[in-house]
Amino acid sequence: MDKIYLNGMGFYGYHGVFPEENKLGQRFFVDLVLETDLSPASQTDDLNKTVNYAEAYKKTKEIVEGKPKKLVETVAEMIAQQILDQFSIVQACTVKVTKPDPPIPGHYKSVAIEMKRCRDE
């Protein structure tokens, strides 16, 4: 299976368990790995036979900058499902959501979750 990577997409959202996270917001970074067969696109040079990166970015941005969620797990799940729903050629989607400088005791560079969702066939 071929892969498309969208790395380090940055957004500002209001997700988190603590009230200050929902009020002040924070940065989030998202990485996507989209698994598909890129042969039709590479052989025809046709954008319609691959994933339009701008559309995948736009969908991710809508979710991360949209309605606040308590858990980044929920945000990642929503992104994966939207990608699979919008792009029928994508067979699997791995989403990594990173929260830099989380408001938890101790000094942490970041926390992140990663999940992979596959198309049911």
Side-chain angles (χ1 to χ4, degrees):
M1 195 64 53
D2 302 316
K3 296 178 181 179
I4 297 171
Y5 294 85
L6 287 86
N7 299 317
M9 295 182 287
F11 307 103
Y12 201 86
Y14 295 84
H15 312 289
V17 176
F18 301 112
E20 61 269 16
E21 293 178 291
N22 306 135
K23 182 178 179 182
L24 301 174
Q26 60 201 320
R27 294 177 305 141
F28 291 88
F29 294 102
V30 178
D31 300 312
L32 299 179
V33 180
L34 312 178
E35 297 181 36
T36 186
D37 178 7
L38 295 174
S39 297
S42 65
Q43 294 168 2
T44 63
D45 199 30
D46 184 351
L47 177 61
N48 294 314
K49 295 183 179 178
T50 189
V51 174
N52 182 324
Y53 310 150
E55 290 298 316
Y57 172 87
K58 180 181 173 185
K59 189 55 66 179
T60 303
K61 177 180 168 81
E62 288 172 3
I63 293 167
V64 178
E65 294 184 352
K67 184 178 177 184
K69 302 295 180 195
K70 290 180 183 154
L71 303 177
V72 291
E73 290 87 341
T74 303
V75 175
E77 182 74 40
M78 292 174 66
I79 294 168
Q81 289 306 318
Q82 282 293 317
I83 294 294
L84 291 172
D85 289 347
Q86 184 168 344
F87 302 103
S88 61
I89 68 165
V90 174
Q91 297 303 307
C93 178
T94 301
V95 180
K96 180 179 177 183
V97 178
T98 302
K99 180 190 276 194
D101 304 313
I104 52 180
H107 180 69
Y108 294 94
K109 180 179 177 182
S110 66
V111 295
I113 63 99
E114 181 176 289
M115 66 174 55
K116 180 176 182 177
R117 297 294 179 261
C118 301
R119 184 174 302 286
D120 295 328
E121 294 194 53

Coordinates of all heavy atoms in Angstrom, one line a residue, residues 45-77:
D45 N -1.2 11.3 -13.9 CA -0.9 12.7 -13.5 C -2.3 13.4 -13.3 O -2.4 14.6 -13.6 CB -0.1 13.4 -14.5 CG 0.6 14.6 -13.9 OD1 0.9 14.6 -12.7 OD2 0.8 15.6 -14.7
D46 N -3.2 12.7 -12.7 CA -4.6 13.2 -12.5 C -4.9 13.4 -11.0 O -4.9 12.4 -10.3 CB -5.6 12.2 -13.2 CG -7.0 12.7 -13.1 OD1 -7.3 13.8 -12.5 OD2 -7.9 12.1 -13.8
L47 N -5.1 14.6 -10.6 CA -5.4 14.9 -9.2 C -6.7 14.2 -8.7 O -6.8 13.9 -7.6 CB -5.5 16.4 -9.0 CG -5.9 16.9 -7.6 CD1 -4.9 16.5 -6.6 CD2 -6.1 18.4 -7.6
N48 N -7.6 14.0 -9.6 CA -8.8 13.3 -9.2 C -8.7 11.9 -8.8 O -9.6 11.2 -8.3 CB -9.9 13.4 -10.4 CG -10.3 14.8 -10.6 OD1 -10.6 15.6 -9.7 ND2 -10.3 15.3 -11.9
K49 N -7.5 11.3 -9.1 CA -7.2 9.9 -8.8 C -6.3 9.8 -7.5 O -5.7 8.7 -7.3 CB -6.6 9.2 -10.0 CG -7.6 9.1 -11.1 CD -7.1 8.4 -12.3 CE -8.1 8.3 -13.4 NZ -7.7 7.7 -14.5
T50 N -6.2 10.8 -6.8 CA -5.4 10.8 -5.5 C -6.2 11.6 -4.5 O -7.3 12.0 -4.7 CB -4.0 11.3 -5.7 OG1 -3.2 11.1 -4.6 CG2 -3.9 12.8 -6.1
V51 N -5.5 11.9 -3.4 CA -6.1 12.7 -2.3 C -5.6 14.2 -2.5 O -4.4 14.4 -2.6 CB -5.7 12.2 -0.9 CG1 -6.1 13.2 0.2 CG2 -6.2 10.8 -0.7
N52 N -6.5 15.1 -2.6 CA -6.2 16.5 -2.7 C -5.7 16.9 -1.3 O -6.5 17.0 -0.3 CB -7.4 17.3 -3.1 CG -7.1 18.8 -3.3 OD1 -6.3 19.4 -2.5 ND2 -7.7 19.4 -4.3
Y53 N -4.4 17.3 -1.1 CA -3.9 17.6 0.2 C -4.6 18.8 0.8 O -4.8 18.8 2.0 CB -2.4 18.0 0.1 CG -1.5 17.0 -0.7 CD1 -0.4 17.4 -1.3 CD2 -1.8 15.6 -0.7 CE1 0.5 16.6 -2.0 CE2 -1.0 14.8 -1.4 CZ 0.2 15.2 -2.0 OH 1.0 14.3 -2.7
A54 N -4.9 19.8 0.0 CA -5.6 21.0 0.5 C -7.0 20.6 1.1 O -7.4 21.2 2.1 CB -5.8 22.0 -0.6
E55 N -7.7 19.7 0.5 CA -9.0 19.2 1.1 C -8.8 18.5 2.4 O -9.6 18.6 3.3 CB -9.7 18.4 0.0 CG -10.2 19.2 -1.1 CD -11.2 20.3 -0.7 OE1 -12.1 20.0 0.1 OE2 -11.1 21.4 -1.2
A56 N -7.7 17.6 2.4 CA -7.5 16.9 3.7 C -7.1 17.9 4.8 O -7.5 17.7 5.9 CB -6.4 15.9 3.5
Y57 N -6.3 18.9 4.5 CA -5.9 19.9 5.4 C -7.2 20.7 5.9 O -7.4 20.9 7.1 CB -4.9 20.9 4.8 CG -4.6 22.1 5.7 CD1 -3.6 22.0 6.6 CD2 -5.4 23.3 5.6 CE1 -3.4 23.1 7.5 CE2 -5.1 24.3 6.4 CZ -4.1 24.3 7.3 OH -3.9 25.3 8.1
K58 N -8.0 21.1 5.0 CA -9.2 21.8 5.3 C -10.1 21.0 6.2 O -10.6 21.6 7.2 CB -10.0 22.2 4.0 CG -11.2 23.0 4.2 CD -11.9 23.2 2.9 CE -13.3 23.9 3.1 NZ -14.0 24.0 1.8
K59 N -10.3 19.8 6.0 CA -11.2 18.9 6.8 C -10.6 18.8 8.2 O -11.3 18.9 9.2 CB -11.4 17.6 6.2 CG -12.4 16.7 6.9 CD -13.7 17.3 7.0 CE -14.4 17.5 5.7 NZ -15.8 18.1 5.8
T60 N -9.3 18.6 8.3 CA -8.6 18.5 9.6 C -8.7 19.8 10.4 O -9.0 19.8 11.6 CB -7.1 18.1 9.4 OG1 -7.0 16.9 8.6 CG2 -6.4 18.0 10.7
K61 N -8.5 20.9 9.7 CA -8.6 22.3 10.3 C -10.0 22.5 10.9 O -10.1 23.0 12.0 CB -8.3 23.3 9.3 CG -8.4 24.8 9.8 CD -8.0 25.7 8.7 CE -8.4 27.2 9.0 NZ -7.5 27.9 9.8
E62 N -11.0 22.1 10.1 CA -12.4 22.3 10.6 C -12.7 21.6 11.9 O -13.3 22.1 12.8 CB -13.4 21.8 9.6 CG -13.5 22.7 8.3 CD -14.4 22.0 7.2 OE1 -14.9 20.9 7.4 OE2 -14.4 22.6 6.1
I63 N -12.1 20.4 12.0 CA -12.3 19.6 13.2 C -11.5 20.2 14.4 O -12.0 20.4 15.5 CB -12.0 18.1 13.0 CG1 -13.0 17.5 12.0 CG2 -11.9 17.3 14.3 CD1 -12.6 16.2 11.4
V64 N -10.2 20.4 14.2 CA -9.3 20.8 15.3 C -9.7 22.2 15.8 O -9.7 22.5 17.0 CB -7.8 20.8 14.9 CG1 -7.0 21.3 16.1 CG2 -7.4 19.4 14.5
E65 N -10.1 23.1 14.9 CA -10.5 24.5 15.3 C -12.0 24.6 15.5 O -12.5 25.7 15.8 CB -10.1 25.5 14.2 CG -8.5 25.5 14.1 CD -8.0 26.6 13.1 OE1 -8.9 27.2 12.4 OE2 -6.8 26.8 13.1
G66 N -12.7 23.5 15.5 CA -14.2 23.5 15.7 C -14.5 23.3 17.2 O -13.8 23.7 18.1
K67 N -15.7 22.7 17.3 CA -16.3 22.5 18.7 C -15.3 21.8 19.6 O -14.7 20.7 19.3 CB -17.5 21.7 18.6 CG -18.3 21.5 19.9 CD -19.6 20.7 19.7 CE -20.2 20.5 21.0 NZ -21.4 19.7 20.9
P68 N -15.1 22.4 20.8 CA -14.1 21.8 21.8 C -14.5 20.4 22.2 O -15.7 20.1 22.4 CB -14.1 22.8 22.9 CG -14.6 24.1 22.4 CD -15.6 23.7 21.3
K69 N -13.6 19.6 22.4 CA -13.7 18.2 22.9 C -12.8 18.1 24.1 O -11.8 18.7 24.3 CB -13.3 17.1 21.9 CG -14.1 17.2 20.6 CD -15.6 16.9 20.8 CE -16.3 17.0 19.5 NZ -17.8 17.1 19.7
K70 N -13.2 17.2 25.0 CA -12.4 17.0 26.2 C -11.1 16.2 25.9 O -10.1 16.5 26.5 CB -13.2 16.2 27.3 CG -14.3 17.0 27.9 CD -15.0 16.2 29.0 CE -16.2 17.0 29.5 NZ -17.3 16.2 30.0
L71 N -11.2 15.3 25.0 CA -10.1 14.4 24.7 C -9.6 14.5 23.3 O -10.3 14.6 22.3 CB -10.5 12.9 24.9 CG -11.1 12.5 26.2 CD1 -11.6 11.1 26.2 CD2 -10.1 12.7 27.3
V72 N -8.2 14.5 23.2 CA -7.6 14.6 21.9 C -7.9 13.2 21.1 O -7.9 13.2 19.9 CB -6.1 14.9 21.9 CG1 -5.9 16.3 22.3 CG2 -5.3 13.9 22.8
E73 N -8.2 12.2 21.9 CA -8.6 10.9 21.3 C -9.9 11.1 20.4 O -10.0 10.6 19.3 CB -8.8 9.9 22.3 CG -7.6 9.4 23.0 CD -7.2 10.2 24.2 OE1 -7.6 11.4 24.4 OE2 -6.4 9.7 25.1
T74 N -10.8 11.9 20.9 CA -12.0 12.2 20.2 C -11.7 13.0 18.9 O -12.3 12.7 17.9 CB -13.0 12.9 21.1 OG1 -13.3 12.1 22.2 CG2 -14.3 13.2 20.4
V75 N -10.8 14.0 19.1 CA -10.4 14.8 17.9 C -9.8 13.9 16.8 O -10.2 14.0 15.6 CB -9.5 15.9 18.3 CG1 -9.0 16.7 17.1 CG2 -10.2 16.8 19.3
A76 N -8.9 13.0 17.2 CA -8.2 12.1 16.3 C -9.2 11.2 15.6 O -9.2 11.0 14.4 CB -7.2 11.3 16.9
E77 N -10.2 10.7 16.4 CA -11.2 9.8 15.8 C -12.0 10.5 14.8 O -12.3 9.9 13.7 CB -12.1 9.2 16.9 CG -13.2 8.3 16.5 CD -12.6 6.9 16.1 OE1 -11.7 6.4 16.8 OE2 -13.1 6.3 15.1

